[in-house]
Amino acid sequence: MKHLKHEESTCYDGSQIEPMWAFRTFGIKDSSIVSWMGSMEIIPDHLVDFEDVGLEIKGNKMLHFIIEHFDVQPADINLCYHRQRIFVMIIKDMLLDLGIKTTRNGDDLYYNKKISSTEKGKLSVSIATCSISSMKIHFALNLTEKGTPNDVETAGILESDVDIKMEDIYNFVDEACANYIDEISSIKTDISKTRVF
Amino acid sequence: MKHLKHEESTCYDGSQIEPMWAFRTFGIKDSSIVSWMGSMEIIPDHLVDFEDVGLEIKGNKMLHFIIEHFDVQPADINLCYHRQRIFVMIIKDMLLDLGIKTTRNGDDLYYNKKISSTEKGKLSVSIATCSISSMKIHFALNLTEKGTPNDVETAGILESDVDIKMEDIYNFVDEACANYIDEISSIKTDISKTRVF
Amino acid sequence: MKHLKHEESTCYDGSQIEPMWAFRTFGIKDSSIVSWMGSMEIIPDHLVDFEDVGLEIKGNKMLHFIIEHFDVQPADINLCYHRQRIFVMIIKDMLLDLGIKTTRNGDDLYYNKKISSTEKGKLSVSIATCSISSMKIHFALNLTEKGTPNDVETAGILESDVDIKMEDIYNFVDEACANYIDEISSIKTDISKTRVF
Amino acid sequence: MKHLKHEESTCYDGSQIEPMWAFRTFGIKDSSIVSWMGSMEIIPDHLVDFEDVGLEIKGNKMLHFIIEHFDVQPADINLCYHRQRIFVMIIKDMLLDLGIKTTRNGDDLYYNKKISSTEKGKLSVSIATCSISSMKIHFALNLTEKGTPNDVETAGILESDVDIKMEDIYNFVDEACANYIDEISSIKTDISKTRVF
Amino acid sequence: MKHLKHEESTCYDGSQIEPMWAFRTFGIKDSSIVSWMGSMEIIPDHLVDFEDVGLEIKGNKMLHFIIEHFDVQPADINLCYHRQRIFVMIIKDMLLDLGIKTTRNGDDLYYNKKISSTEKGKLSVSIATCSISSMKIHFALNLTEKGTPNDVETAGILESDVDIKMEDIYNFVDEACANYIDEISSIKTDISKTRVF
Amino acid sequence: MKHLKHEESTCYDGSQIEPMWAFRTFGIKDSSIVSWMGSMEIIPDHLVDFEDVGLEIKGNKMLHFIIEHFDVQPADINLCYHRQRIFVMIIKDMLLDLGIKTTRNGDDLYYNKKISSTEKGKLSVSIATCSISSMKIHFALNLTEKGTPNDVETAGILESDVDIKMEDIYNFVDEACANYIDEISSIKTDISKTRVF
């Protein structure tokens, strides 16, 4: 499984969630995580979350992660959502190490915008999906609230109480991808030492 | 999926990891989490982690969780280890809410015994396994270091810097089980709203 | 798994067999059976049974059942056809309790229109299909022969020798759905008490 | 899939539910149904239904059917229980054609011993199980109440109000096996004509 | 599983790789191999190998084999590629028996056009794919180099050093299909005699 | 996936076919091929091929290969037998390159001991099996006829018409393992470039 960095300023329009996007764009013949920083504006035809039909799903500056797994055949959306949860929990843990304490609800992360208040801002969007041969995950983290929908209270990690530099962001992305790849790999290792019934 | 509380003082001897243990012991015809507080001393014949052959796996007072899933047929040890990771991450998050910051490596949690030092104590043991029809997870958290193996640096949450009452422990167990059950349930819900390719 | 009643007079045009139809129409985030009384006229583009290409599949007044299962991932058309057979056999049993003795051939039910003759009328149509994440079944029972294809000998349960009231029909639908949901549930229960090898 | 007749007077002791029994006993290299008439007395070590632990499961004269499927790999106890239900429903339908109206609850058939009363006698026992490579079903129908457990109200089809000859029984067995084999085969055929999404 | 001969001179345009093609064209309700002799010119919309996007995939006279399997549900592209490899290795073995020694790289066969040189000509094209319910393989062998892409060094078995008659070709096709069908069948037989753990 | 060389003179007694043998013996936490040169004498309790019950399965000097795969969960004996066939066909191809032309029947290789005759000697034994989490293959090639069963016509590659040195044997083993590992890996690569339906 490989981590590949996509060029910044690419807009996530939903086309990147399609199976084989990484192969068709970068020629990667392997499971992969592609990461980049960019805006989001999902074209309705590319919407995968039926619950979002008719809603605006957008942001001006987000960290995007597109994960594709070919290791399980046929692809299994149940497993894929488990991996999505693991990825989100890895991100949550790493944000805490940056000083940003979040709460999680399913695949959503929230940030208490003011410590004294209970007002929570939605920090992320995520979806998982699959075709018969590949499992895909999109996770994106707001860097800023700018450009996010008006009807949702959002938050951006660059606008938190914590001083975060762009260098921190770059390291964060690299480590998040490395941690996730290690996690999936450690599961494979654990299987090979386990007695079954 | 049901949460059932086993009587305290039961020793985890490894027999509880066997498939159908919850049905044979409690008559539960469903996926389940059984929790209890008790010692651990694994009988070698019940050892599931081949890496632990010849090692002492024990403790005087631990929180035990035995999870069994029948929802995926045939059982899949790969999915089961993903669920184990999710459970461990839920525990990690909840320990933090109690004031106990831990680090995680695969399915192991560690506690920095003294804040100023880097000496880490192993706080937990865990394994996943399966038969053709059920997926099983055992996770146990040291309440105390007493009775843990001499050759491993361990830690117990009742011996941390944080003042934890027994009532907190009981609530912790109930919430951990509820959170895990909710998580698995939320994944099923997410599947039913997702467009696939 | 939930039973939901759709508004009467809805025409089954084949679009209802598409995956996620129940979520997109009613917002149900679960496995479901949707039932209603209405006509049928399948738009060729929505045809799922390749054997029916070029044929008329229609009727003026039918009981429609649309089943969707998300419990098995990835979806399995083999299992889905087994469930279809179970549903059809439940219907056959219940029709007998109403006084209507039918014969079954695969997923088709037939009614001896005159007891003295051997002329059988086709009483039902059915198909099963799936996407990677959901299994779908359509089953429809003729209430009347009106509007059914001219080139097929059909029958309608309201035109049988038995006096059936609309109230019987409504109860029949409710019980059929309840029985099917119970059957699938009883299988899950049986698994959790069974020793495997 | 083949039907093979075992010699009469063989006692079902539970060993026949073990995977590969048909190959080890008859050398059949295929999915199979083996049928015979004989007594039943299950040796506790061979018990597969954990709910029956400590109970007597026996009868003097029963029709036994042992089904083994290798067509689905890995074996799936969920599918296996669906097939068991289909087999039981085929038997129920065929008993009706013999004049014996039964009621079904899961995998159990009951007979109203006296038409005027509501006293039901249990007519059958059944279990499904599997190893990683094969799915097994045992179904047995009481011919007589003799030798059945004292603490369960049972019934035998030779003691019903209907006059049944041994020749009818032999035909019944042959047809039951043929009908089941045809049913499973018809499902495979239906799959190959179905459009999927 | 059946072997069916398609009419000669049919052009392989890529539409034949679509699931259910054999049912829609010939009404076969079973797993099948369809074989014929004909040209190839793949319409871009029908391209299944993303690596071939923008390339010419063509030839004037080839032996085509289209395999479709329904025996494994849900379909598994991993298994399908294993079967493709087995098919290609059967072809390689049989070409050797005809006197044509080839080398294989994945799913490609190459022929040393002149014994003294190391110049290899590509002798075949192949792809595997699947839908949720069927697994498909296309394999085609050049009879002649005519019409093959200019930018690839190709070879044709009718232009080899060996004298091959059309009768040999017809026998070759029949035997290749029979051998493949036997191979898959022998695997099913082997499973039914194997002890598992 | 790793290739590991076991010490020579180890006798294959059937225990090596058990799941997790490579981890328990060598600590390998991965899919693996273990190879060695040694005798074979299978202890009846370790027999996996039920067809061999009561037969002698032995030889004085053989090349042994034990393959274990953890990449597919749950393990699938159908896929495992496909991989076994691929391994045997790779061996057949490589023997030909050594000058030894063999014929294959399922998983058995045969050698024409004298070119002028049709007397074939059995050159190999093989079996595949699995537990719920791992797929295992044993393949062994006779180096000599010595010690093979009296009632089977066998052959040994060191007793063929071809002059083979021990160095050739060592290279053969290394290449066979490398080729097999490459083959399985190439299939994974092919999946990631394939459009599905």
Side-chain angles (χ1 to χ4, degrees), chain F residues 75-98:
Chain F
D76 179 341
I77 198 171
N78 187 33
L79 178 67
C80 191
Y81 266 114
H82 282 77
R83 288 185 170 174
Q84 180 214 41
R85 294 304 201 263
I86 288 172
F87 187 75
V88 175
M89 289 165 108
I90 287 173
I91 294 286
K92 181 175 190 287
D93 261 16
M94 289 178 58
L95 285 174
L96 186 74
D97 289 341
L98 279 183

Side-chain angles (χ1 to χ4, degrees), chain A residues 197, chain B residues 6-7 9-26 32 34 36 38-43 46 48 64-68 127 129 134-138:
Chain A
F197 291 93
Chain B
H6 195 18
E7 52 189 318
S9 85
T10 302
C11 175
Y12 179 82
D13 60 11
S15 64
Q16 296 92 341
I17 197 70
E18 284 177 19
M20 327 297 293
W21 171 77
F23 177 78
R24 285 180 287 116
T25 310
F26 309 105
S32 61
V34 182
W36 74 95
S39 60
M40 175 169 73
E41 183 143 24
I42 300 181
I43 295 170
H46 288 144
V48 161
H64 294 284
F65 300 87
I66 286 280
I67 299 171
E68 182 160 31
I127 194 72
T129 186
S134 98
M135 299 183 282
K136 298 263 330 207
I137 299 167
H138 175 236

Side-chain angles (χ1 to χ4, degrees), chain A residues 20 23-24 29 73-74 132-133, chain E residues 50-51 74-77 130 132:
Chain A
M20 326 299 293
F23 177 77
R24 283 181 287 116
K29 293 186 191 173
Q73 296 299 337
I132 179 77
S133 71
Chain E
F50 280 127
E51 212 163 28
D76 179 342
I77 199 171
C130 65
I132 178 76

Side-chain angles (χ1 to χ4, degrees), chain B residues 49-51 74-78 130-133 197, chain F residues 19-20 23-24 29 71 73-75 132-133 196-197:
Chain B
D49 187 336
F50 280 128
E51 211 164 29
D76 179 342
I77 198 170
N78 188 33
C130 66
S131 72
I132 177 78
S133 70
F197 292 91
Chain F
M20 326 298 293
F23 177 77
R24 284 180 287 117
K29 292 185 189 174
D71 61 326
Q73 295 299 336
I132 178 77
S133 72
V196 291
F197 292 92

